Amino acid sequence: LTVVGTEPSDALDYFCRCSNVVDTIEATAELIVHVVPEIVLPGEGFLYIVNEFQPIVFVCGATGIPAPTVNWYRNDVILNEATNNRVSIAPPSITQPDDVFSVLHTLTIDSTRDSDSDTYTCVADNGNRRMPNDTLNIELFVRVAPVILIPPEDLTVVSPDDATFFCEATARPGPNITWWRVEEDGNLNQIMEATGVYDIVTTEMGERVRNSTLVVIGSQPSDTGTYLCQAGNVVAMDSASVNLTVYVIPEVVLPEEDTLTYIVNVTDPVTFVCQARGVPVPIITWNRGGLLLTGTDANDMIFDMEDLNSRIVVQPPSQSLIFTSDGNVYEAERNLTIYNTMGIDTGTYTCEADNGVQLNDTQDFELFVQVPPVVVSLADRREVIGNASDGVTLEFRIDFAAPPVALEDLTWYYSPSLVAMPQGEDITGLMNRTSQSMLTFSPFAENTMISLTVSNLVRDVAGAGETDEGRYFLVARNPAGISFDYTDLVIFGPPTILGPPEDQFEINDGSNATFVCGAFAFPLHELDWTFTDATGATTSVISTSDEQDTDKYSVNRSRETIVMFGALTVQDVQYEDRGRYTCTARNILGSDTASATLTVHVTPVIEAISATTEVNITNSASLACLTTAFPLVSSITWQKNGEELLLDLDGRISTFEFEINETYMSSGFLGSGSIESVVSMAGFTEAQVDGLGDLGVVGVLTFETVERDDTDSYTCTATNFLPETATLSTVSDPVMLVVLERPDPPVNVQVAANGALWVVIRWQPDFDGNRPIQQFVLYQRIL
């Protein structure tokens, strides 16, 4: 029996039976069919993909008879727990569904590594001959998360230089590298390549490695911040942050209203404002000609002319963050102030800004200190003496002026009086000031000497009105100010008063009045004073031959060779000191006089006011107020309980005033009925009125008929006007006007209690008529 093409199902017992007519015999034989092992794929295929650190299970199925055994190999090295501690092989699962054994075998690799990527071989063997399909190769591809190998490095650049970052990463499959900007709120903003802004170049370095370069083109302060290099694939992402700091070269900026040139007058302060922008914060310093200016504390300034720093205050630096179109930059400010400027301060002052970034920036400020001219008379004691018909030269020098004084800025004045300030006749450029004398002005160059020659001198001998004698002023001007000096020209002869005394106005409050008289002459002279009072009587006051004092007068003198000043002081001025004071200057050749008037003002004084007045109701009443003042009191007003008294329109209450000198002096104290009634009502005495001279004014408040509401406190206010001062007022002490009346009947009369033989009556008093109630009378009326 031949079984052709055996199959597993042919594995049976076979019987050979022989029979004839005699007998039947049998012989048995067993057919065992072996099936060579064959690998069957359970469904995953030949390629396994797994992320690193995740487990992977390889499944290998094999069939055959007898049941095959399965082994796993990697690079011809068998795999088992002994060769790799991350490898585990489960016991095989054997089934025999259709005569042929089926074996399912699994290999597990825990926490796969990048190094596990390889070809794994499953080999089935059941002792039969080997066949090509008893081996299965399985590919394992372990995907590896990205790792940044070379992170970008923090970078500091100077605007507008480019900033370049380099980032390299590895992964499997190869990573995709992107760049991000970390915003202030923490959000990420992807950077895309943009012309003129960003340039991104990414290069593949084999299967795994990628590198990328980010270029921030023309960096600005706004580019300062944190950037992120991010490498990612299907497994995960890795990132590295980097900080970019963009420095800005310091730049000095000027406020819109500022200037680079400062022109100030001497002693005026000047402040230079220096602002600089940059990153980091610029440090501002000041120098002049390379000399560092540190200044001093404003409270410690000593104004040393030789030490500029002693007059300088350099304020502490201040800084702020400002926003520009290119980003945030720091703005620093540090100002320099020069106090009490001098001419030597003219020059260049440099503000220098430095923040350690490349070059410093500087700004020059020009200061020109204008110094007013100083005019100096070159005459000894400012005096020049000449003879009539001769000539004299008045020489002056102009110092310090900056800018220099120009010829057109010079003015000459002539004054016949010894005035302190330039005034009088402008003689600039004149050839003749009088009918006889001639004026000659010397040529003038900047800041040099200049002179005036007066030829053929004329002296006013008989009051003809023409004279060259007097004070000559030279006035020089420049933008910084004006200066002047003078020279007194004296022509041999009697004294001439060129500085007459001036009228004085004083108040009799213990103040002093001073008259100053100035005269010059050659030969030397003396000054005397006389006083003419209000009645016209003249008395000699005092001589200035020697300085003298009395209880009333004090005289001081000051002599400058041919010029003499005498000051007469009237001490503790009183009204009686009013009058004319005359200064007389004399020498052996003659004399000259000048007078001034002293006017004494007297502030209002309340000399007397009526005493408390009691009057019966409906009767008339008067209150009088006796005042003194000079000028005389112009108005007397009355107040009731401190408030202005309003006069009745019907004339019930009225006021009037009169002057004592017009009434009393002309009519006699008691000769006039009106004055008699006023004095008798007010209670004034003849002595009170006699002592007032011509300064007295009486104010009268009259009530034609008094009423209950007139009872109150009254004051009078006296006012006069001082022409040289102001309006002055004085308020009197209060005086009471009491209107007497019958008391009003009691009120609330009632029986408070009663008995068989007694009764209690109670009441309340009402208005008492402005006099204490002396008694109450109780009447009984029988009902």
Side-chain angles (χ1 to χ4, degrees):
L1 174 63
T2 300
V3 181
V4 180
T6 57
E7 295 180 356
S9 59
D10 296 330
L12 297 170
D13 289 335
Y14 289 86
F15 297 91
C16 171
R17 178 178 295 131
C18 297
S19 63
N20 58 15
V21 296
V22 179
D23 196 7
T24 299
I25 60 173
E26 292 181 351
T28 63
E30 181 182 8
L31 175 61
I32 298 174
V33 180
H34 283 190
V35 179
V36 296
E38 181 181 2
I39 299 296
V40 294
L41 198 62
E44 282 293 331
F46 299 97
L47 177 64
Y48 286 74
I49 300 175
V50 65
N51 292 341
E52 190 177 22
F53 305 116
Q54 292 182 348
I56 186 66
V57 177
F58 297 143
V59 179
C60 182
T63 60
I65 299 175
T69 62
V70 177
N71 290 307
W72 294 90
Y73 294 86
R74 181 184 180 186
N75 297 328
D76 298 327
V77 177
I78 192 169
L79 287 175
N80 51 47
E81 289 87 341
T83 59
N84 190 325
N85 59 7
R86 291 185 290 107
V87 171
S88 61
I89 300 175
S93 173
I94 301 174
T95 61
Q96 193 177 10
D98 298 314
D99 300 325
V100 180
F101 291 98
S102 178
V103 178
L104 189 63
H105 207 280
T106 59
L107 168 70
T108 301
I109 302 176
D110 294 326
S111 185
T112 55
R113 303 287 191 271
D114 183 20
S115 57
D116 294 334
S117 292
D118 211 338
T119 300
Y120 292 81
T121 303
C122 169
V123 178
D125 184 14
N126 61 0
N128 295 313
R129 64 182 186 276
R130 299 288 300 274
M131 299 295 289
N133 53 357
D134 63 358
T135 300
L136 175 65
N137 292 325
I138 298 175
E139 294 294 328
L140 175 60
F141 186 89
V142 178
R143 293 185 298 202
V144 180
V147 175
I148 293 181
L149 301 176
I150 303 176
E153 296 181 352
D154 289 346
L155 187 61
T156 298
V157 298
V158 177
S159 178
D161 292 349
D162 294 346
T164 302
F165 297 108
F166 179 81
C167 182
E168 186 171 280
T170 182
R172 193 178 187 204
N176 178 37
I177 297 179
T178 55
W179 292 90
W180 303 77
R181 174 79 182 268
V182 181
E183 304 297 342
E184 292 183 358
D185 57 5
N187 292 329
L188 298 179
N189 186 18
Q190 186 173 359
I191 298 174
M192 308 300 291
E193 186 170 5
T195 302
V197 182
Y198 298 109
D199 187 16
I200 301 175
V201 177
T202 302
T203 305
E204 295 185 6
M205 307 293 292
E207 177 191 3
R208 295 171 175 257
V209 178
R210 305 285 188 274
N211 62 44
S212 182
T213 300
L214 167 65
V215 179
V216 181
I217 302 172
S219 61
Q220 299 293 336
S222 57
D223 296 321
T224 294
T226 301
Y227 293 78
L228 205 66
C229 169
Q230 193 174 79
N233 63 4
V234 295
V235 180
M237 287 190 298
D238 192 15
S239 63
S241 63
V242 63
N243 292 317
L244 172 61
T245 301
V246 179
Y247 282 169
V248 178
I249 297 174
E251 177 187 8
V252 177
V253 295
L254 294 175
E256 292 182 1
E257 69 280 2
D258 207 352
T259 179
L260 298 178
T261 302
Y262 290 77
I263 300 176
V264 298
N265 291 336
V266 67
T267 73
D268 287 348
V270 60
T271 298
F272 302 116
V273 178
C274 182
Q275 295 176 340
R277 295 177 181 176
V279 179
V281 182
I283 297 174
I284 297 175
T285 56
W286 287 91
N287 68 81
R288 182 187 182 190
L291 175 64
L292 180 65
L293 299 177
T294 58
T296 186
D297 187 273
N299 297 322
D300 298 331
M301 303 186 76
I302 59 176
F303 301 115
D304 184 354
M305 186 172 183
E306 301 298 328
D307 183 8
L308 178 59
N309 275 315
S310 70
R311 295 182 286 108
I312 285 180
V313 171
V314 180
Q315 75 169 45
S318 62
Q319 67 181 57
S320 60
L321 191 64
I322 64 172
F323 307 96
T324 70
S325 58
D326 295 328
N328 301 342
V329 296
Y330 290 101
E331 182 174 89
E333 180 173 322
R334 196 175 193 192
N335 301 335
L336 179 145
T337 301
I338 305 176
Y339 293 92
N340 197 27
T341 52
M342 301 179 179
I344 59 175
D345 298 334
T346 294
T348 301
Y349 294 79
T350 302
C351 159
E352 182 173 0
D354 179 15
N355 64 355
V357 179
Q358 296 182 2
L359 300 177
N360 301 344
D361 192 22
T362 60
Q363 181 62 63
D364 291 338
F365 295 85
E366 297 297 330
L367 172 63
F368 183 79
V369 180
Q370 297 184 143
V371 181
V374 176
V375 180
V376 179
S377 171
L378 300 182
D380 185 25
R381 297 178 179 268
R382 295 191 178 92
E383 299 169 345
V384 173
I385 302 173
N387 294 315
S389 300
D390 288 346
V392 295
T393 298
L394 312 179
E395 293 183 321
F396 294 85
R397 187 181 70 245
I398 300 176
D399 295 335
F400 305 118
V405 175
L407 178 61
E408 58 269 20
D409 294 326
L410 295 176
T411 307
W412 293 85
Y413 290 95
Y414 164 78
S415 173
S417 302
L418 296 182
V419 292
M421 302 295 292
Q423 56 182 280
E425 182 181 358
D426 184 348
I427 61 173
T428 307
L430 294 181
M431 296 180 62
N432 303 96
R433 198 190 63 78
T434 68
S435 60
Q436 179 177 325
S437 58
M438 295 182 60
L439 305 179
T440 304
F441 300 91
S442 67
F444 175 72
E446 293 181 351
N447 291 1
T448 59
M449 292 178 55
I450 186 172
S451 64
L452 167 63
T453 300
V454 185
S455 305
N456 201 16
L457 294 173
V458 176
R459 189 175 195 278
D460 184 9
V461 177
E466 285 193 348
T467 182
D468 292 314
E469 200 170 39
R471 179 161 288 180
Y472 290 78
F473 288 92
L474 174 61
V475 180
R477 298 174 176 83
N478 74 353
I482 300 176
S483 176
F484 67 89
D485 204 354
Y486 63 87
T487 298
D488 293 330
L489 171 57
V490 180
I491 301 175
F492 187 83
T496 299
I497 292 179
L498 299 182
E502 297 180 353
D503 292 345
Q504 301 290 314
F505 295 87
E506 296 296 337
I507 302 175
N508 65 330
D509 57 358
S511 58
N512 298 334
T514 299
F515 299 96
V516 178
C517 180
F520 60 72
F522 191 82
L524 300 179
H525 60 283
E526 300 296 339
L527 291 176
D528 296 325
W529 290 91
T530 58
F531 168 54
T532 303
D533 63 18
T535 65
T538 300
T539 58
S540 176
V541 175
I542 204 164
S543 173
T544 58
S545 299
D546 296 302
E547 295 187 8
Q548 303 177 46
D549 291 321
T550 67
D551 291 339
K552 192 62 182 177
Y553 302 106
S554 173
V555 174
N556 293 314
R557 68 176 183 174
S558 172
R559 179 185 294 280
E560 298 179 4
T561 62
I562 63 173
V563 179
M564 185 177 201
F565 290 92
L568 170 66
T569 300
V570 183
Q571 303 174 124
D572 188 18
V573 171
Q574 300 299 320
Y575 185 63
E576 302 80 46
D577 295 323
R578 70 191 187 281
R580 185 175 69 255
Y581 291 81
T582 302
C583 163
T584 302
R586 59 172 52 88
N587 68 3
I588 59 174
L589 298 179
S591 64
D592 194 11
T593 62
S595 300
T597 300
L598 173 61
T599 302
V600 180
H601 291 160
V602 180
T603 56
V605 175
I606 306 294
E607 301 289 350
I609 190 170
S610 301
T612 297
T613 301
E614 294 182 347
V615 60
N616 291 333
I617 192 166
T618 72
N619 287 350
S620 64
S622 296
L623 299 177
C625 182
L626 182 59
T627 69
T628 57
F630 185 82
L632 293 177
V633 166
S634 57
S635 69
I636 297 177
T637 58
W638 292 86
Q639 298 79 41
K640 178 181 180 182
N641 195 23
E643 300 291 334
E644 193 69 25
L645 179 62
L646 300 178
L647 302 181
D648 291 343
L649 295 178
D650 59 4
R652 187 181 70 85
I653 303 176
S654 61
T655 63
F656 67 92
E657 299 94 25
F658 63 88
E659 299 177 12
I660 298 263
N661 61 337
E662 294 180 358
T663 303
Y664 170 66
M665 294 296 182
S666 60
S667 303
F669 181 62
L670 297 177
S672 168
S674 62
I675 193 68
E676 179 182 6
S677 61
V678 169
V679 170
S680 62
M681 284 187 296
F684 301 148
T685 67
E686 183 175 355
Q688 286 177 306
V689 179
D690 277 340
L692 301 183
D694 57 355
L695 304 180
V697 173
V698 176
V700 181
L701 171 65
T702 63
F703 297 82
E704 184 176 346
T705 58
V706 294
E707 299 176 354
R708 175 178 296 186
D709 290 342
D710 294 331
T711 298
D712 214 324
S713 170
Y714 292 83
T715 54
C716 67
T717 298
T719 302
N720 74 344
F721 179 75
L722 307 187
E724 296 298 318
T725 54
T727 300
L728 298 178
S729 300
T730 302
V731 180
S732 71
D733 293 331
V735 61
M736 288 296 300
L737 173 63
V738 180
V739 178
L740 303 178
E741 300 181 51
R742 292 170 58 91
D744 288 349
V747 295
N748 297 328
V749 180
Q750 57 184 333
V751 177
N754 65 283
L757 299 175
W758 57 271
V759 63
V760 177
I761 307 297
R762 290 181 180 171
W763 64 88
Q764 292 178 335
D766 203 351
F767 174 61
D768 63 1
N770 292 321
R771 280 280 182 88
I773 296 176
Q774 297 177 349
Q775 65 178 354
F776 292 92
V777 179
L778 185 64
Y779 295 91
Q780 179 183 12
R781 185 172 63 180
I782 305 299
L783 298 177

